[in-house]
Amino acid sequence: MKWVRFFRTIQAKLIIIYVLLILIAMQLIGVYFVSVMKNSLTSGFTRDLNSKGEMLSIYAVRYLTPKVDDQTSDALSIEGLNDLVRDLININDGEIQVLDASGKVLTTSLQAHQAYIGRKNTQTVVSRALQGIRDNEDEMIDENRVRKKIVAKPVMNGTKVVGAIYIVASMKELYDTIERINNIFVSGTLIALGLTALLGIILAHTITSPIKEITKHATDVAEGNFELRSPVMGNDEIGQLSEAFNYMTQRLHHALSLHEEEKEKLQSVLTNMSDGVLATDEQGHIIVMNRRAKEMLRVEERGATDQDITELLGISMQHINTLEQEARPSMLMKLGLDQEQEQEVILRVMFSTIHRRGEGVTGIIVVLQDVTEQEKLEQSRREFVANVSHELRTPLTTIKSYVEALDDGALEEPQLAGRFVGVIRNETERMIRLVTDLLHLSRLDSKQAILRKKPTNMVEMLEEVADRFSFQMKQRRIKPSIFIANGIEQVVLDRDQIDQVLDNLMSNAIKYTPDGGVIELEAHKAGADRIAISIKDTGMGIPKKDLDRIFDRFYRVDKARSRSMGGTGLGLSIAREIVKAHGGTINLESELGVGTKVTFTISTLDEGSEAS
Ligand code: ADP
């Protein structure tokens, strides 16, 4: 496996290419060189044999031309020929025969072939030579598998063929030489291949090692490590690739950092938004939900799977789709009772779709706003307007009916007319009181009422309250009592405003306490920088169920009774607003049939003589 993998590498491929190229080149050179060499050697060898044959044929003419006058010439010539073929020309591992005109062997240089003397040499080359043809060559392989060259030359005396020279020479040496050259080539090729492979490994390594580096770098980059740089070795293609890769890494890092930064910004905007934000894909699966949205939808408390928008908001996709058709797609959603505050949470849910060009709707963005307070305010504003209208309509209706009665003739009866005018005056005064109270409240609401705080004597202030109501109390046989704890002689407060609070509370205490009751006015310390003033009566008290709403505007326990006593239903609200402006709190404890105690605190810290 390891080897298979190696052969798939560029390094192996390069080495194989180098080796094959060298092999092919060496083979081509070798084949060409050896064949040229072989031709040259063979033709040189043949030429040499031919020239030896020619030379012999010239020498042999003398011996082969019979001389009529000389009887010993025949014997001499044979001897001479023997010397000629044995000594004059030496042919390694070969044979020279001299033949007469009939082709009969006159002499041979080879001892082993002495028996051939006198026999006819019938080879084709010999026949051709005896016919006077000069170039006669042939090749043969003898019984020892040695290749031999045969050359036959005619011996001419003038134009007459008097014999022939027959030469056989072994080509072994020639072929040995060729084989040696071949061996040199083979060993040379092997050495060249070895060196090429070695060089190939080194060269391929110089190419593949930067590629390996870049590959490693690419893996690192993919894993998010942008600090590494590929080494740039030279200015070749690989060097340029390394440079380009480094540049790409740098750009990628930059782009990713920007992307991360943008993501973080978006994340922090989403996290710190006061509105809840949800994003879904086209199927409604939630892909983004900020912290505020989780809080608003109480994802964790409800154990809701924050996977699906329909599940989370409890509405169907069709509903969302229908809402989206509207110009400003939004809806109000009530989320049950808040466990901590025990109140209903009202959310405004706004939808907008994400469109991508060519792909249609790819998701929904949902923005959630907590409009509980807003809705509550809106609700109380509506109630307030209704209450004011109602409170004004009642006296106005009464006035109208009495005026009509006067108009219809009651004026003629002075006694009746006087009573009617009295009623009208009462109702008008009630309306004036109501409007004055409303104006007072509205000034307190809009923080226009400026507190003019001055050091005030507590004893004097509470005694004056009791004095103001002494006539009423005497009439109703109600006994007042005043108790002021030590150390609170002087308190800095807006006397007019606090008088208003005390008056409201005192008038309530008197109004709702039966004849002969007791009203206690008390002032004591409530902490280091706070005093508490309370007015306690032994009156009819307030049912428990009404205590929560007793400070609401126009809230009355017994409407008819309060109205008949001239109450506007705003007294406690005004008292609460004034106390609040003084940085204090007011609370009411009451038991039905036993009595009521209203306590308010004010801060004794001098925050300046004027505060809004
Ligand atoms: P009103 O002008 O009707 O007195 P307030 O805001 O002063 O309006 O009081 C609201 C309601 O609280 C009254 O209508 C009355 O029913 C109840 N209330 C206030 N003070 C007392 C009290 N001391 N004893 C019994 N009921 C009281």
Side-chain angles (χ1 to χ4, degrees), residues 100-102 129-133 154-164:
D100 66 7
S102 64
L130 291 174
Q131 284 166 28
I133 298 167
V155 180
M156 307 282 283
N157 186 7
T159 54
K160 194 174 165 216
V161 179
V162 288

Side-chain angles (χ1 to χ4, degrees), residues 188-240:
T189 306
L190 287 177
I191 291 168
L193 284 178
L195 283 173
T196 308
L198 196 72
L199 274 173
I201 290 170
I202 296 165
L203 277 173
H205 186 255
T206 59
I207 294 170
T208 54
S209 69
I211 294 177
K212 278 185 194 161
E213 280 287 332
I214 294 171
T215 313
K216 193 177 159 294
H217 185 186
T219 319
D220 286 339
V221 169
E223 281 165 6
N225 185 356
F226 295 99
E227 303 312 317
L228 284 179
R229 288 278 174 276
S230 294
V232 181
M233 295 166 182
N235 196 25
D236 57 2
E237 286 85 343
I238 293 177
Q240 285 165 8

Side-chain angles (χ1 to χ4, degrees), residues 244-258:
F245 200 84
N246 285 341
Y247 181 59
M248 189 193 78
T249 308
Q250 195 187 326
R251 299 280 306 158
L252 199 65
H253 191 190
H254 183 64
L256 275 177
S257 310
L258 274 182

Side-chain angles (χ1 to χ4, degrees), residues 508 511-512 537 542 550 555-557 562 567-569 571-572 596:
N508 278 349
K511 260 192 281 179
Y512 304 107
D537 63 55
I542 301 166
I550 207 74
Y555 192 83
R556 298 176 176 108
V557 177
S562 159
T568 58
L572 284 180
T596 306

